[in-house]
Amino acid sequence: MKSLGFAVALLLFPVLAGARLTPTNIDVSQRSTNESEEAIAVNPTNPNNIVIVTNVVVPAAGMFAAVSFDGGFTWTTRIIGDNDNLGAACCDPSLSFDEFGNLFLVYLFNVGNTVPIALSTDGGLSFNLLANIAKPATAKTQTSDERRGLFRFVDQPTIVAGKGEVWVVFNGGGPIVATGAPVSGLGAVGSFITPEVVGGTNNCTYGDVAIGPNGQVMQVCTLTESGQGGGRIYVNVDPDGLGPAGFDQHSIFVVDTHVGGFDFIPAQPDRSVDAEPGLAWDRTGGPHSGRVYLVYTFEQKNESDNMDIYVRYSDDDGATWSAGVRVNDDSTKNSQFLPKISLDPTTGNLAVVWYDCRNDLGNGGPGDTDGIPNTDAQVWGAFSTDGGQTFTKNIQISAGTSNSHDAHNNIDYGDYSGLAFYGGIAHPAWSDNSNSTGNNPDGTLHELDIYTARVPLPSP
Ligand SMILES: [Ca+2]
Ligand SMILES: [Ca+2]
Ligand SMILES: [Ca+2]
Ligand SMILES: [Ca+2]
């Protein structure tokens, strides 16, 4: 009996170990139809206050919003931008809390050539419009509702706040447009500066923006030469933030990703993916203070669908960059895509999450829903505690396996995932139709809900 018990223990151990490593998943949205494209932020003045905003399909105007005051265990949900005080919202939310507890939200209207910026001073319970940023007069104009369209005439807005500044970047119908405003306290936001066209960024998009320790600002975007052929990542820096110097008009080339603006992979057969570059700048005063990190997707051989997640860093405000460090540690040739990076402002440690097809071998196993390899994704993540030089063993975060095409969302999981890392706990937000928690009212229709989990930095 002893030897039998030992054999049973051997059989069970990997299952139990795996179960222990996957954090408890929470279905935040629990609503009919598809939710995708997640923004998530943690309030540094109350880290139990976490806010998520995402795209919805129904109603015809609006976004899904969820607020937690218990660290992400329970959520209060509602629809915003459904012709309320935020107008008729289309999509593409981006969120950022600053050190005063201001929560900034940027998104797109269903119709329009402006990018709205909203502010919440009550932890995401309510928002008010703060500004409407106009695109440059020279850019194209949108005149009709093209809500589900892939190209818009202001597009891909991102907001980031901190260090007494708030900055927004978006594609203004050609070039990247940037603007910022000073912030001096809760609800104390100054006027946004005249929107600036960032030189050398025509047709560069899918960007991000970050604020450095001296108030300098960096934008990143990907210039996609063709749909699937390739994409070149560039950065530009404004050395004095809101000061008189503008963005350096010379873009700095970082890497060719082989990932186009609409690069189709089996796991995103309807929307495709872009390289989804993201920035995080260390302002902690810790050992790597001043280092700025860049996450992106890299396709090993162009059109191989073998996409991997890489991080590079720069210690000289983007002038030069380290070699890329591969974050995903699988040995498959399957796709990893839509990465997000977040820096814990209490430590300077990094978290990265992404969608990951490593377990879809097309063999009907736990990572496969359809018998076809590389079509099904889980969400995985990793941490770095040494300034981006190495990453931890990867952690499976989603308990279930999703198939985006089955959701009939037109845009699969969308263009991006969400992540906020604070106080040693990473809070990812992703689209999931596994119904692994049993809370999806459209589980049998395979529609997407918004999931999150609390993912602690593993103890060394
Ligand atoms: Ca490609
Ligand atoms: Ca891969
Ligand atoms: Ca499959
Ligand atoms: Ca849903």
Side-chain angles (χ1 to χ4, degrees):
M1 291 305 290
K2 200 171 181 182
S3 63
L4 180 61
F6 183 62
V8 169
L10 271 182
L11 280 171
L12 287 177
F13 179 73
V15 177
L16 290 172
R20 234 176 256 131
L21 286 172
T22 299
T24 301
N25 286 195
I26 297 159
D27 183 341
V28 177
S29 62
Q30 300 191 23
R31 66 187 297 272
S32 292
T33 71
N34 289 302
E35 298 86 49
S36 58
E37 298 201 341
E38 303 80 18
I40 183 168
V42 176
N43 186 346
T45 69
N46 171 12
N48 284 325
N49 177 202
I50 308 173
V51 180
I52 294 174
V53 178
T54 80
N55 288 5
V56 295
V57 175
V58 174
M63 298 180 294
F64 170 76
V67 179
S68 175
F69 285 98
D70 64 2
F73 289 103
T74 63
W75 297 82
T76 303
T77 69
R78 68 192 195 277
I79 295 293
I80 59 173
D82 55 346
N83 293 295
D84 61 8
N85 65 323
L86 298 185
C90 161
C91 50
D92 270 17
S94 171
L95 283 174
S96 184
F97 267 110
D98 72 7
E99 64 271 27
F100 305 112
N102 291 304
L103 176 61
F104 295 93
L105 166 66
V106 67
Y107 56 100
L108 297 174
F109 288 132
N110 262 350
V111 182
N113 297 291
T114 59
V115 172
I117 299 169
L119 173 65
S120 174
T121 55
D122 57 9
L125 293 173
S126 66
F127 286 93
N128 284 297
L129 270 181
L130 196 63
N132 243 325
I133 307 301
K135 69 170 182 57
T138 49
K140 288 177 285 187
T141 294
Q142 185 188 12
T143 54
S144 64
D145 181 350
E146 299 177 27
R147 185 165 201 245
R148 306 306 297 180
L150 293 173
F151 278 118
R152 307 179 65 80
F153 302 121
V154 287
D155 205 355
Q156 307 289 337
T158 305
I159 197 160
V160 67
K163 193 77 187 168
E165 302 174 45
V166 55
W167 279 86
V168 174
V169 294
F170 58 92
N171 185 284
I176 295 291
V177 176
T179 184
V183 185
S184 55
L186 185 64
V189 182
S191 297
F192 281 81
I193 62 172
T194 303
E196 183 181 349
V197 172
V198 181
T201 60
N202 209 32
N203 299 321
C204 204
T205 188
Y206 307 117
D208 196 7
V209 59
I211 299 169
N214 301 316
Q216 69 271 54
V217 178
M218 178 180 291
Q219 78 86 27
V220 64
C221 56
T222 176
L223 184 63
T224 57
E225 290 146 5
S226 67
Q228 305 203 69
R232 292 163 63 84
I233 290 178
Y234 290 90
V235 299
N236 295 66
V237 175
D238 184 324
D240 66 353
L242 295 168
F247 275 89
D248 189 333
Q249 296 296 297
H250 293 285
S251 297
I252 302 166
F253 169 72
V254 183
V255 60
D256 189 331
T257 64
H258 300 155
V259 181
F262 294 92
D263 209 319
F264 288 89
I265 57 174
Q268 289 264 116
D270 303 312
R271 166 59 181 87
S272 66
V273 295
D274 65 272
E276 206 51 34
L279 296 173
W281 212 325
D282 189 335
R283 299 190 304 261
T284 60
H288 303 291
S289 198
R291 180 167 288 183
V292 59
Y293 300 91
L294 167 67
V295 72
Y296 59 95
T297 314
F298 179 78
E299 190 172 30
Q300 295 294 351
K301 180 171 183 289
N302 199 8
E303 297 321 286
S304 65
D305 299 331
N306 182 10
M307 294 185 179
D308 293 318
I309 308 304
Y310 281 77
V311 167
R312 290 176 187 241
Y313 58 83
S314 173
D315 290 323
D316 54 11
D317 290 5
T320 60
W321 291 84
S322 72
V325 174
R326 199 179 93 160
V327 181
N328 56 291
D329 62 2
D330 63 306
S331 54
T332 76
K333 292 189 159 71
N334 286 359
S335 308
Q336 282 78 26
F337 57 101
L338 302 186
K340 191 68 98 181
I341 192 168
S342 183
L343 187 144
D344 184 341
T346 69
T347 61
N349 292 328
L350 293 174
V352 179
V353 299
W354 61 89
Y355 292 92
D356 193 315
C357 300
R358 71 177 69 189
N359 282 332
D360 184 6
L361 307 177
N363 61 3
D368 177 37
T369 70
D370 59 2
I372 305 168
N374 211 19
T375 56
D376 297 293
Q378 301 164 338
V379 171
W380 286 65
F383 296 91
S384 178
T385 58
D386 61 1
Q389 295 172 74
T390 62
F391 283 83
T392 59
K393 185 177 185 305
N394 293 178
I395 299 162
Q396 183 179 335
I397 294 172
S398 72
T401 300
S402 291
N403 184 295
S404 71
H405 183 67
D406 283 351
H408 301 291
N409 191 31
N410 296 324
I411 56 168
D412 298 314
Y413 305 111
D415 282 355
Y416 53 92
S417 54
L419 177 64
F421 186 24
Y422 191 95
I425 299 173
H427 300 273
W430 72 92
S431 297
D432 193 308
N433 66 353
S434 70
N435 198 21
S436 67
T437 71
N439 300 121
N440 189 338
D442 287 329
T444 56
L445 296 174
H446 308 293
E447 291 179 338
L448 296 161
D449 276 0
I450 302 302
Y451 277 46
T452 192
R454 292 166 50 91
V455 188
L457 177 70
S459 43

